[in-house]
Amino acid sequence: MVSVTSSEASRSRSKKVCVIGAGPSGLVSARELRKEGHKVVVMEQNDDVGGQWLYQPNVEEEDPLGRSSVPTNDALKVHSSIYSSLRLTSPREIMGYSDFPFLAKKGRDMRRFPGHKELWLYLKDFSEAFGIREMIRFNVRVEFVGEEEKTEDVRRWIVRSREKLSGKVIEEIFDAVVVATGHYSHPRLPSIKGMDSWKRKQVHSHVYRVPDPFRNEVVVVVGNSMSGQDISMELVEVAKEVHLSAKSLDISSGLSKVISKHQNLLLHPQIESLEDDGRVIFVDGTWVVADTILYCTGYSYKFPFLESKGRVEVDDDRVGPLFEHTFPPCLSPSLSFVGIPRKLIGFPFFEAQAKWIAQVLSGKSSLPSPDQMLQSVADFYRSRDLAGVPKHNTHDIADFTYCDKYADYVGFPHLEEWRKQLCLSALTNSQENLETYRDSWDDHELLQEALQSSHFTNFDC
């Protein structure tokens, strides 16, 4: 009988893992995987960390609607959809990873709801503090991920990548792949009669950066999400008229206050059709002749590099089947996804996901059988259908209880009560005071509770 030393055993549990993307979910995945003893390579298409938060001001090369000129190629030229004036919609106190608070630093943007650059700097600080950069290959775009021909009972993955500067293609084999490519890049567009033949300007907010190109124009903004509202408030200062088209005219009191302040900001129902003479006709029969239509209609999940032989598919923005939004049952645990869920406090959730994946790959945690995982996904889909949730909102969580349940898989601490309450407080304030909520708030007691918590007091900078 041959004995196995503990170092040999730990080596056998150590996997060679490719993480795709160096944004918030990819960075924390790399850290947690390395912490569990895995050998990690992060592939990042841009020249720095940050993912969505790495601001890209130059969008001239991108198609205005984010459509590819090559039908078989879904790759975008621009990854980030951040516009110049964007500020966080959540207070900085709730956003940090569990052991790395998002502190205000002298000489930087110290506001509670800072601009996008401050969050990018936080992610750079996080990368430096934990030595993550050394694991990252920058300016490398992943073009193909597919299963290697199975040998024995081991599943491994072929990852083919291209160096953007030299054009050199590299093909490698990994034991596991973690997809952390984000979901705020590929525009989700509505289907509107006359849209393809309308000759005037149509753009998606993915390529919106500053309001100046819309000066003195009549602009129709489609969608009153947070970005639709933000961009409308910015455009109203330079555009001749801004017409905000919303699914529902039952709007928040905050948006109502803004509309009442500006004579050139008008609310409309959904669009019925676009006409060749430039008219935009709304479903109530009213119309306006517009110069530009700006679609603030959200984003779709796309994984153009992934060849899963139909075992992971995107159907109307439902990525599946994924057990707990993370593991495809038939390809687990060697393929996983971090950062798919929306409408939750992102960074701590990504961290819990990363810990779970790292521990499953090392054998410290285990998953149910593929059949059990598939049944769990089917039950989840059924519950969403019964609740009347549209398929494209499958991954919208909006439930702190779920986040806590998820944390239990790896013994990750539940979200602190102050974190939950600060999140809800900001949400309520934005509904009432859309223009001012980032700079005027009344959650001082909660803020003090947060700053006196171990999340802040135990951090040694």
Side-chain angles (χ1 to χ4, degrees), residues 60-353:
E60 292 76 18
E61 287 189 1
E62 188 68 277
D63 179 84
L65 292 173
R67 290 169 167 169
S68 174
S69 55
V70 184
T72 55
N73 180 8
D74 269 332
L76 291 163
K77 293 183 174 66
V78 175
H79 178 72
S80 176
S81 299
I82 297 244
Y83 43 95
S84 177
S85 67
L86 184 140
R87 288 176 65 185
L88 304 191
T89 57
S90 300
R92 69 192 309 143
E93 300 83 32
I94 74 171
M95 293 197 65
Y97 299 112
S98 68
D99 56 356
F100 198 75
F102 187 10
L103 300 172
K105 295 194 172 183
K106 282 184 181 169
R108 298 216 315 222
D109 185 345
M110 297 180 69
R111 295 174 295 180
R112 286 189 69 201
F113 294 77
H116 57 83
K117 185 180 180 183
E118 183 65 13
L119 186 53
W120 173 65
L121 290 170
Y122 167 80
L123 291 169
K124 277 176 74 84
D125 291 344
F126 178 78
S127 306
E128 299 294 340
F130 295 99
I132 298 169
R133 290 187 79 93
E134 65 201 38
M135 295 185 266
I136 305 172
R137 294 183 198 161
F138 292 106
N139 292 306
V140 169
R141 187 193 289 276
V142 173
E143 295 190 335
F144 174 83
V145 173
E147 267 189 284
E148 186 189 34
E149 287 297 319
K150 250 185 169 181
T151 50
E152 297 163 6
D153 202 27
V154 179
R155 176 179 281 119
R156 298 198 304 173
W157 294 88
I158 300 166
V159 176
R160 191 162 61 239
S161 61
R162 182 185 298 272
E163 291 180 358
K164 284 168 73 175
L165 304 179
S166 69
K168 182 181 173 188
V169 175
I170 303 170
E171 193 167 286
E172 297 162 274
I173 303 294
F174 289 90
D175 299 312
V177 172
V178 177
V179 180
T181 49
H183 48 73
Y184 291 112
S185 294
H186 291 274
R188 180 181 170 88
L189 291 163
S191 179
I192 298 172
K193 184 184 170 191
M195 186 173 168
D196 290 338
S197 57
W198 204 68
K199 295 291 187 286
R200 300 187 179 202
K201 197 162 58 172
Q202 296 185 76
V203 297
H204 189 277
S205 57
H206 170 62
V207 296
Y208 175 86
R209 292 297 181 266
V210 292
D212 225 49
F214 305 91
R215 187 171 294 280
N216 299 322
E217 287 192 352
V218 175
V219 183
V220 174
V221 175
V222 182
N224 74 329
S225 60
M226 288 307 280
S227 62
Q229 295 177 25
D230 261 3
I231 290 171
S232 294
M233 288 191 294
E234 186 165 79
L235 286 175
V236 85
E237 302 297 335
V238 300
K240 184 179 176 186
E241 295 170 9
V242 177
H243 297 266
L244 180 57
S245 168
K247 273 184 184 171
S248 169
L249 299 183
D250 181 17
I251 57 172
S252 70
S253 60
L255 180 55
S256 190
K257 286 177 199 171
V258 173
I259 290 171
S260 66
K261 266 181 65 177
H262 299 278
Q263 286 189 326
N264 61 335
L265 177 57
L266 300 111
L267 183 67
H268 297 270
Q270 286 183 283
I271 296 172
E272 175 72 37
S273 65
L274 306 182
E275 303 297 323
D276 289 345
D277 59 5
R279 282 183 303 153
V280 177
I281 301 177
F282 302 98
V283 294
D284 62 358
T286 61
W287 56 270
V288 60
V289 176
D291 297 298
T292 299
I293 299 173
L294 175 57
Y295 296 99
C296 297
T297 46
Y299 297 89
S300 288
Y301 296 92
K302 286 196 179 177
F303 310 99
F305 51 82
L306 182 61
E307 175 49 75
S308 70
K309 297 178 179 166
R311 287 168 294 181
V312 181
E313 294 192 316
V314 183
D315 176 16
D316 191 16
D317 284 328
R318 173 180 281 177
V319 185
L322 291 183
F323 178 60
E324 304 294 5
H325 309 273
T326 307
F327 291 103
C330 298
L331 297 169
S332 63
S334 64
L335 180 66
S336 57
F337 294 77
V338 178
I340 294 282
R342 300 179 293 206
K343 296 196 176 175
L344 39 66
I345 302 176
F347 288 25
F349 189 85
F350 306 154
E351 189 178 351
Q353 280 191 296

